[in-house]
Amino acid sequence: MSSSFQAPKGVSEYVPPRADLFAAIRSAFAEQARLAGYGYLELAVFEDTNLFRRGVGESTDVVSKEMYTFEDRGGRSLTLRPEFTATVLRAVLEHNLHKQGALPVKVWTTGPAFRAERPQQGRYRQFYQLDLEAIGTEDPRVDAETIALAARWYASLGLTQVRLLLNSLGCRECRPGYRTLLQEFLRGLDLDEATRARIEINPLRVLDDKRPAVQAQLTGAPLMADHLCAACQEHHDRVRELLADLGIAWEDTPRLVRGLDYYTRTTYEFDHPLLGAQSGIGGGGRYDGLAEDIGGPALPGIGFGLGLDRTILALEAENAGFEAAPRCEVFGVPLGAEAERRLFALADELRRAGIAADTAFGGKKLKGAMKDADRSGARFAVILGERDLAAGEAQLKELATGDQTAVPLTDLTSTLRERLSR
Ligand code: HAM
């Protein structure tokens, strides 16, 4: 029986063995980020509500409908982070990282984010992202570097079906003119009340409408790609050239818009075809005006958020074969008090040698302890009984085959190291 309590609806939780996978893919990302010079940040999980209002944008679903906002005991309005970019930028400016070293400031962070969405497979109210940002340069090589980092991480996990959808959303020079054109086009369509309202507030989002009746009418809609200013066009061409140099495939997706208001120029999504409605496994782009929007200096930036939950679902859907390192390779089966002592010390020795080891606890008999050994996932059991102790050896049993050999106690660590590497 469980307790009287359950986790709140829509919270994504992980327990072993899935949680081991979760931790392993996050570690793999940490290593990629390190190799590319990105430093780690550990940041606030809640912020002044106005940071997200101004940063992410009032017209977005995230801010207008999905934030977990509460008043603290001092009457301040706080919000659980619905995303990381605004928080990262706030922290970079607050800690003056942009004044301390070379630009761009290259950083990453990870943890839960919160959005009050309708929960379903792949869409949670508490979910997990890997977030990486490069702040302080417009150099298109940084756009390509960040995209490559995400693509290489997916590939390193064994995912082969990830698609990269790429677009440019222009800048504060060329987008207003395009926005007006798009609004004129959209006002002439047959749309419902709510969508007509959206034309006035956030017309680009209408392009993203998934309903077939709406999509059918959008065929002739003007596209940002055809109205980029010369500087944005050049930037976009450079990014694509650099991705091609790295051998990273993408699909030009001129209708791609993102759910957050801060994006400029390069925008992209990583999509997984086996995940149904929640196929966006990661997304990102440039936000060249965001620092000023939150009261800081002009500091262009680019980055991404990769959804850890959906990445796990993609691994499972593709049966990608990426596995966490085992939690137990050798399992000690002690029979009697002296054997318990010896195997307790052996487990410690094995761990220090980098071998995952565990033992039976609670004074179990042979049968119970062997059952634990099987459940542990270990390759080998080390069985130590009174007769073995007297002979100065232990029984080394390969669990998959049942093969058993006696090994001198003094040779156990080296023998196990050798046999595990076979
Ligand atoms: P986003 O597209 O809103 O972008 O979220 C990034 C990823 O987080 C999505 O692609 C998806 O995998 C995952 N995600 C979002 N909402 C949920 C949810 N309710 N349940 C499960 N997974 C979810 C951002 O958040 C931007 N801050 C990314 C960014 C960083 N742009 C520039 N820098």
Side-chain angles (χ1 to χ4, degrees):
M1 215 184 94
S2 53
S3 77
S4 326
F5 298 101
Q6 291 184 332
K9 197 170 163 221
V11 167
S12 153
E13 289 190 313
Y14 293 86
V15 298
R18 257 178 137 224
D20 297 324
L21 187 62
F22 184 98
I25 68 174
R26 192 177 48 192
S27 301
F29 182 87
E31 183 58 5
Q32 300 255 5
R34 183 188 71 79
L35 289 171
Y38 288 77
Y40 182 66
L41 301 173
E42 192 68 70
L43 300 176
V45 171
F46 53 86
E47 296 271 3
D48 182 333
T49 301
N50 285 324
L51 173 68
F52 300 119
R53 286 192 183 290
R54 280 166 57 184
V56 177
E58 300 270 10
S59 77
T60 61
D61 283 354
V62 169
V63 170
S64 64
K65 301 185 198 156
E66 298 171 357
M67 294 207 299
Y68 282 100
T69 298
F70 60 97
E71 210 171 84
D72 74 359
R73 285 159 199 269
R76 286 166 287 256
S77 178
L78 299 173
T79 294
L80 297 180
R81 63 182 171 209
E83 62 106 49
F84 288 79
T85 310
T87 291
V88 169
L89 197 50
R90 190 269 306 142
V92 165
L93 297 173
E94 183 172 338
H95 298 283
N96 278 316
L97 300 186
H98 61 303
K99 293 183 184 158
Q100 285 165 19
L103 293 178
V105 177
K106 303 210 302 188
V107 286
W108 76 281
T109 185
T110 185
F114 307 86
R115 295 182 192 174
E117 298 196 80
R118 208 146 43 83
Q120 62 178 80
Q121 169 88 330
R123 188 168 69 197
Y124 311 106
R125 292 179 173 171
Q126 176 177 322
F127 60 98
Y128 296 86
Q129 278 189 7
L130 295 166
D131 183 273
L132 176 138
E133 314 285 352
I135 294 161
T137 179
E138 289 192 338
D139 193 327
R141 285 183 302 149
V142 175
D143 303 39
E145 174 175 291
T146 52
I147 293 172
L149 212 144
R152 301 301 188 214
W153 177 65
Y154 289 128
S156 77
L157 304 180
L159 290 172
T160 58
Q161 298 191 40
V162 179
R163 295 159 62 207
L164 167 59
L165 312 178
L166 184 68
N167 193 19
S168 171
L169 287 182
C171 65
R172 285 172 195 210
E173 296 298 314
C174 52
R175 194 155 65 210
Y178 164 71
R179 190 175 185 272
T180 307
L181 265 178
L182 180 63
Q183 282 176 318
E184 281 164 11
F185 173 87
L186 295 172
R187 285 187 196 119
L189 303 183
D190 178 22
L191 298 166
D192 59 90
E193 197 71 29
T195 312
R196 298 196 75 80
R198 187 171 291 161
I199 297 175
E200 307 311 319
I201 307 162
N202 198 343
L204 271 75
R205 286 300 284 172
V206 180
L207 290 180
D208 208 23
D209 200 311
K210 301 281 187 292
R211 293 171 296 179
V214 179
Q215 275 302 323
Q217 297 187 67
L218 293 172
T219 352
L223 296 171
M224 187 70 239
D226 300 323
H227 296 89
L228 294 174
C229 62
C232 284
Q233 186 65 58
E234 196 194 318
H235 186 93
H236 197 45
D237 291 343
R238 280 292 290 149
V239 171
R240 290 187 293 183
E241 202 176 279
L242 290 160
L243 290 175
D245 284 352
L246 299 185
I248 290 171
W250 75 92
E251 294 168 37
D252 286 317
T253 313
R255 295 269 185 87
L256 178 79
V257 289
R258 305 259 305 122
L260 313 166
D261 272 358
Y262 47 64
Y263 288 112
T264 56
R265 293 192 167 174
T266 308
T267 38
Y268 55 93
E269 268 175 21
F270 290 98
D271 191 81
H272 199 282
L274 302 182
L275 294 193
Q278 307 305 320
S279 62
I281 61 172
R286 252 188 192 283
Y287 43 86
D288 291 346
L290 180 56
E292 288 154 289
D293 288 346
I294 64 166
L299 267 185
I302 181 158
F304 58 67
L306 309 182
L308 277 165
D309 314 270
R310 293 186 191 170
T311 303
I312 299 248
L313 292 172
L315 285 169
E316 290 165 351
E318 269 199 44
N319 215 339
F322 182 84
E323 277 179 28
R327 243 180 305 130
C328 184
E329 297 166 283
V330 177
F331 194 88
V333 175
L335 305 169
E338 180 54 23
E340 278 179 357
R341 239 178 111 182
R342 296 293 285 265
L343 288 191
F344 187 66
L346 175 71
D348 180 64
E349 189 178 312
L350 290 172
R351 291 167 191 165
R352 282 186 282 131
I355 296 169
D358 205 349
T359 83
F361 286 104
K364 288 192 179 120
K365 301 262 176 343
L366 181 63
K367 203 170 151 207
M370 283 309 293
K371 208 165 157 192
D372 286 359
D374 284 328
R375 282 195 291 214
S376 74
R379 271 182 66 191
F380 295 100
V382 176
I383 306 158
L384 190 57
E386 273 173 24
R387 226 175 311 146
D388 301 311
L389 268 174
E393 50 187 40
Q395 303 300 319
L396 183 60
K397 181 168 182 171
E398 181 155 18
L399 290 165
T401 60
D403 289 350
Q404 189 167 313
T405 43
V407 175
L409 285 173
T410 46
D411 296 351
L412 269 174
T413 298
S414 58
T415 305
L416 279 164
R417 192 188 279 135
E418 193 269 320
R419 296 211 37 199
L420 281 165
S421 67
R422 269 189 216 163

